C-alpha cells in the first residue's frame, strides 16, 4: 500500500480545531480511494476547563475529604473519556490510549513487586535489623541526620535507584531514628533527600539517563551540568540536617528504649557482619550494569538464602515473607511494627494507583489538552524566562499526571526548539527538567514516587515535606543560576558548544 498526502486544511467546528488531511491510497492494481483523517484538537479554553475539572476532582477528594486518590483519579479519567468522545475520538483510540498507559507502567510495577520482596527477604535474613542495631548502638542522635543523608546518597549513587535506597537503608534509618527519639518526618526528609540525590546524578539512574536522552544531550554532559545545582543544594541540606540534629535531638532520646530495642532485635535475629553482604551484592550487580529486574531478583535470592542459612528459615517461610512480608512477634510493639514490612502484597495499594494514574496522563496527552496548553508558553526569549518555564512546566506536569518520566518527556518536547533558538545548550534543558522534577517527585500525593515513599517509610507527605531540603533548594539554585548566568552553557550559531559557565549574558 502506498499513501501520499496531497491536501491539508484547518477549520473550526463548534470551537474545536479540526485538521483534515486528505490522502490518496493506491490499492490493488491502481484502484484509487480518497481517505480523510480528522486530527482533533481542543481549543485553549476547552483544555483549561478540562484540566481544572480534573485537578478539582482529585484535590477536593484528597485534600478536603481526605480520601485515597484511586477513585477520584478514576472519575478524572471518566471526564477525559467523555471529553474525548465530544472531540469525535473513536472508542478504539481511547481504549488503545488506556492500554498504552498501562504498558508504560509495567516495568515500574515489576520493580515495585521486586522491591517489596527484597524488603521482606532482607528483614527475614537479618540484614535490615542488623543495620538498625548498629545504628542504635554506634550513631549518636546529634549526628544521625547528616549520617543518614550521606549514607542514602552513597547507596543511591551506587545503585542509581531511589526506590531501592528507600526500601533498604531508608527503612533501617527510620528504625534507628525511632529509637533515637527523632521526629519521623525529619528522618524521612534526610532519607528522601539522599535517595533522590542518586536519581539526579548517578550514571546508573534511569531518571538521569532518560532526562539526557529526551533533551538530546549526552549522559556525562548532563551530569556535569547537574553538578551546578545539585552540589550547592546538597551542601545546604547537609548543613540544615546537622543544625537540626545538634539543636533538636541532643539528649531527647531514652537510653532505656535503645537498650530494649537492641536486646529485642538480638533475641529475634542472629547478628553477624556477614549480613551486610546483600547490600554489597546489589551494588556490585548495578556496577556490572546488569538489568534492573535481574539485579533486584538477585538481591531477593540473596536475602532468601541468608534467611535460611543465618536465621533458620525454611522454604515455606521464605515464600510467605516474599509474598506477605515479614511479621515480627517479639511482643515489643515498637519492634514488631518496625520489622513487619515488605512482601509483594505491601505494594498492591501503590500498584493499583499506578494502574489508574498513568492512563489518565495518557488521556490528557492524547486528547491534546496538555499540548494545547503548553503550546502557549514556548515563545520565550530570555534565559531566565525559559529556564523558569522549564522548571514550572515539569513540576506542574508531575502534579497533573503523577509520573516523572511522562512529565520529563512532555517538557523536553515543549522546550527543545526554544533552547535551540536561544543558543542555550541542551544540557541546561536536561538539568532544568530534573531540577523542576526534584521537588515534585516525592511531594505529589497521588504521584508514583510519593505513594511508594508513604507505603515504604510509613510517613505521610505532609510529615516529611517541610524537611525535604534537597528538593526545595535544587530549583531555587537553578533559578539563581538562570538570573546570574553562572552554570548556563551556550552554543554558537554553528552549533559549536561554548561552555560559558560564568557568563554575564543576560539572554
Amino acid at each position: 500500500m502506498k499513501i501520499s498526502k496531497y491536501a491539508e486544511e484547518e477549520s473550526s467546528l463548534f470551537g474545536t480545531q479540526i485538521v483534515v488531511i486528505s490522502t490518496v491510497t493506491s490499492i490493488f492494481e491502481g484502484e484509487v480511494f480518497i481517505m480523510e483523517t480528522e486530527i482533533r484538537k481542543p481549543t485553549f479554553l476547552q483544555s483549561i476547563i478540562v484540566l481544572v475539572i480534573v485537578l478539582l476532582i482529585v484535590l477536593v477528594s484528597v485534600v478536603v475529604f481526605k480520601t485515597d486518590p484511586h477513585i477520584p483519579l478514576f472519575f478524572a479519567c471518566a471526564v477525559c473519556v467523555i471529553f474525548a468522545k465530544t472531540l469525535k475520538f473513536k472508542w478504539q483510540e481511547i481504549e488503545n490510549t488506556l492500554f498504552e498507559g498501562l504498558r508504560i507502567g509495567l516495568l515500574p510495577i515489576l520493580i515495585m513487586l521486586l522491591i517489596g520482596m527484597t524488603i521482606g527477604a532482607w528483614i527475614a535474613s537479618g540484614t535490615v535489623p542488623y543495620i538498625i542495631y548498629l545504628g542504635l548502638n554506634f550513631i549518636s542522635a546529634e549526628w544521625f541526620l547528616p549520617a543518614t543523608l550521606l549514607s542514602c546518597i552513597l547507596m543511591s549513587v551506587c545503585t542509581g535507584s531511589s526506590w531501592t535506597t528507600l526500601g533498604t537503608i531508608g527503612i533501617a534509618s527510620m528504625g534507628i531514628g525511632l529509637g533515637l527519639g527523632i521526629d519521623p518526618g525529619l528522618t524521612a526528609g534526610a532519607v528522601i533527600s539522599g535517595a533522590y540525590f542518586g536519581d539526579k546524578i548517578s550514571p546508573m539512574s534511569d531518571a538521569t539517563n532518560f532526562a539526557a536522552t529526551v533533551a538530546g544531550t549526552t549522559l556525562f554532559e548532563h551530569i556535569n551540568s547537574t553538578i551546578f545545582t545539585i552540589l550547592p543544594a546538597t551542601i545546604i541540606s547537609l548543613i540544615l540536617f546537622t543544625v537540626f540534629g545538634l539543636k533538636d535531638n541532643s539528649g531527647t532520646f531514652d537510653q532505656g528504649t535503645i537498650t530494649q530495642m537492641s536486646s529485642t532485635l538480638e533475641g529475634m535475629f542472629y547478628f553477624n557482619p556477614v549480613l551486610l553482604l546483600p547490600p554489597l551484592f546489589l551494588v556490585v550487580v548495578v556496577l556490572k550494569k546488569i538489568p534492573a529486574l535481574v539485579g533486584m531478583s538477585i538481591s531477593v535470592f540473596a536475602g532468601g538464602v541468608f534467611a535460611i542459612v543465618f536465621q533458620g528459615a525454611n522454604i515455606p517461610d521464605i515464600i510467605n515473607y516474599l509474598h506477605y512480608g515479614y511479621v515480627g512477634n517479639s511482643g515489643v510493639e515498637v519492634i514488631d511494627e518496625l520489622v513487619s514490612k515488605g512482601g509483594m502484597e505491601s505494594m498492591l495499594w501503590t500498584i493499583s494507583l499506578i494502574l489508574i494514574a498513568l492512563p489518565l496522563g495518557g488521556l490528557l496527552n492524547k486528547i491534546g489538552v496538555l499540548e494545547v496548553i503548553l503550546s502557549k508558553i514556548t515563545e520565550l526569549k530570555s534565559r531566565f524566562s525559559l529556564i523558569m518555564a522549564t522548571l514550572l512546566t515539569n513540576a506542574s506536569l508531575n502534579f497533573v499526571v503523577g509520573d516523572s518520566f511522562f512529565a520529563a518527556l512532555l517538557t523536553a518536547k515543549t522546550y527543545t526548539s526554544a533552547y535551540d533558538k536561544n543558543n542555550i545548550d541542551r544540557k541546561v534543558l536536561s538539568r532544568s527538567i530534573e531540577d523542576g522534577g526534584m521537588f515534585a517527585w516525592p511531594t505529589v500525593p497521588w504521584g508514583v514516587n510519593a505513594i511508594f515513599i508513604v507505603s515504604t517509610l510509613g510517613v505521610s507527605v505532609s510529615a516529611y515535606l517541610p524537611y525535604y531540603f534537597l528538593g526545595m533548594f535544587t530549583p531555587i539554585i537553578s533559578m539563581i543560576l538562570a538570573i546570574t548566568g553562572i552554570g548556563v552553557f551556550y552554543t554558537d550559531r554553528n552549533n559549536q558548544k561554548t561552555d560559558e559557565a560564568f557568563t554575564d549574558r543576560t539572554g
Side-chain angles (χ1 to χ4, degrees):
M1 179 188 297
K2 297 180 180 179
I3 301 178
S4 60
K5 183 174 71 173
Y6 74 82
E8 182 175 300
E9 59 181 330
E10 186 172 319
S11 60
S12 179
L13 181 61
F14 301 115
T16 300
Q17 295 176 346
I18 307 292
V19 179
V20 181
I21 301 176
S22 300
T23 59
V24 177
T25 306
S26 178
I27 310 176
F28 305 120
E29 299 182 2
E31 290 187 70
V32 177
F33 299 90
I34 302 296
M35 181 175 64
E36 290 190 347
T37 304
E38 291 183 353
I39 300 178
R40 295 135 313 231
K41 288 185 179 180
T43 64
F44 181 73
L45 179 59
Q46 288 175 328
S47 300
I48 291 294
I49 291 173
V50 170
L51 190 58
V52 168
I53 292 174
V54 166
L55 292 178
L56 282 176
I57 290 173
V58 177
L59 286 175
V60 171
S61 300
V62 174
V63 177
V64 179
F65 299 143
K66 308 295 183 183
T67 67
D68 286 339
H70 299 64
I71 301 304
L73 285 172
F74 178 82
F75 287 137
C77 282
V79 169
C80 291
V81 169
I82 293 171
F83 184 60
K85 291 301 294 181
T86 65
L87 296 177
K88 307 302 181 183
F89 276 89
K90 296 179 180 178
W91 174 248
Q92 189 63 48
E93 294 177 277
I94 298 172
E95 196 173 71
N96 289 341
T97 301
L98 295 173
F99 290 152
E100 178 62 18
L102 295 175
R103 187 192 66 78
I104 293 172
L106 287 180
L107 181 59
I109 286 172
L110 290 175
I111 291 175
M112 291 183 76
L113 290 174
L114 285 168
I115 290 176
M117 289 190 283
T118 298
I119 294 170
W122 283 20
I123 293 176
S125 70
T127 296
V128 171
Y130 186 49
I131 294 173
I132 296 174
Y133 174 82
L134 293 176
L136 290 172
N137 288 278
F138 295 103
I139 300 178
S140 66
E142 293 87 347
W143 299 104
F144 166 70
L145 292 172
T148 296
L149 175 66
L150 293 174
S151 62
C152 288
I153 284 176
L154 179 62
M155 184 69 170
S156 64
V157 170
C158 290
T159 62
S161 171
S162 57
W163 287 7
T164 301
T165 303
L166 291 165
T168 53
I169 303 296
I171 289 178
S173 298
M174 294 301 295
I176 298 169
L178 182 65
L180 296 176
I182 297 175
D183 178 5
L186 192 52
T187 302
V191 169
I192 297 164
S193 293
Y196 280 94
F197 179 95
D199 247 356
K200 186 80 162 58
I201 205 168
S202 173
M204 272 74 73
S205 167
D206 287 345
T208 301
N209 281 271
F210 188 78
T213 300
V214 297
T217 188
T218 66
L219 173 62
F220 287 100
E221 281 186 332
H222 167 68
I223 291 174
N224 290 336
S225 177
T226 298
I227 290 173
F228 281 86
T229 55
I230 194 69
L231 187 58
T234 302
I235 293 172
I236 294 171
S237 300
L238 184 60
I239 292 172
L240 287 173
F241 282 121
T242 302
V243 170
F244 269 95
L246 294 174
K247 179 181 179 181
D248 297 335
N249 297 302
S250 180
T252 61
F253 64 94
D254 181 4
Q255 184 61 47
T257 300
I258 293 179
T259 302
Q260 182 189 39
M261 292 178 67
S262 298
S263 60
T264 302
L265 288 171
E266 281 186 296
M268 294 175 67
F269 301 94
Y270 167 76
F271 288 152
N272 188 296
V274 75
L275 294 175
L276 298 176
L277 286 178
L280 296 179
F281 287 158
L282 182 58
V283 171
V284 171
V285 163
V286 172
L287 292 177
K288 292 291 185 181
K289 297 183 178 180
I290 296 175
L293 293 179
V294 178
M296 293 303 301
S297 298
I298 292 173
S299 71
V300 171
F301 179 77
V305 170
F306 273 54
I308 293 173
V309 173
F310 294 102
Q311 309 303 336
N314 54 41
I315 298 297
D317 289 336
I318 299 300
I319 292 174
N320 284 326
Y321 296 150
L322 299 184
H323 190 174
Y324 301 105
Y326 186 86
V327 179
N329 56 2
S330 67
V332 179
E333 184 178 357
V334 64
I335 292 295
D336 290 340
E337 289 182 0
L338 191 59
V339 299
S340 298
K341 295 181 182 294
M344 290 175 59
E345 278 211 357
S346 68
M347 297 295 168
L348 295 184
W349 188 94
T350 306
I351 289 171
S352 64
L353 186 54
I354 292 174
L355 294 176
I356 302 173
L358 290 182
L360 172 61
L363 279 171
L364 288 170
N365 186 51
K366 177 68 176 180
I367 61 182
V369 167
L370 299 179
E371 178 186 352
V372 169
I373 294 174
L374 291 176
S375 67
K376 297 294 184 180
I377 55 176
T378 56
E379 294 300 322
L380 302 169
K381 296 182 179 180
S382 73
R383 176 185 62 217
F384 175 74
S385 62
L386 186 55
I387 293 176
M388 188 69 182
T390 307
L391 295 172
L392 292 176
T393 299
N394 194 41
S396 301
L397 286 172
N398 272 278
F399 189 82
V400 173
V401 303
D403 178 69
S404 58
F405 289 97
F406 191 74
L409 176 61
L410 288 179
T411 305
K413 289 173 62 178
T414 300
Y415 292 106
T416 296
S417 60
Y419 274 76
D420 290 344
K421 288 178 183 178
N422 287 275
N423 296 320
I424 300 178
D425 197 289
R426 297 280 189 88
K427 60 187 175 185
V428 180
L429 170 61
S430 64
R431 180 183 74 199
S432 301
I433 288 172
E434 285 212 286
D435 289 346
M438 193 72 178
F439 176 76
W441 295 337
T443 58
V444 180
W446 53 86
V448 175
N449 287 275
I451 295 163
F452 180 80
I453 291 169
V454 171
S455 62
T456 302
L457 301 185
V459 181
S460 68
V461 173
S462 60
Y464 65 71
L465 179 58
Y467 308 111
Y468 179 42
F469 299 132
L470 190 68
M472 293 180 191
F473 286 102
T474 298
I476 291 175
I477 298 295
S478 185
M479 286 185 275
I480 292 173
L481 297 186
I483 294 171
T484 62
I486 299 173
V488 178
F489 304 90
Y490 293 93
T491 59
D492 63 24
R493 294 188 181 278
N494 295 318
N495 207 33
Q496 298 297 315
K497 294 181 179 179
T498 57
D499 293 351
E500 298 176 25
F502 297 92
T503 181
D504 60 358
R505 180 172 174 174
T506 61

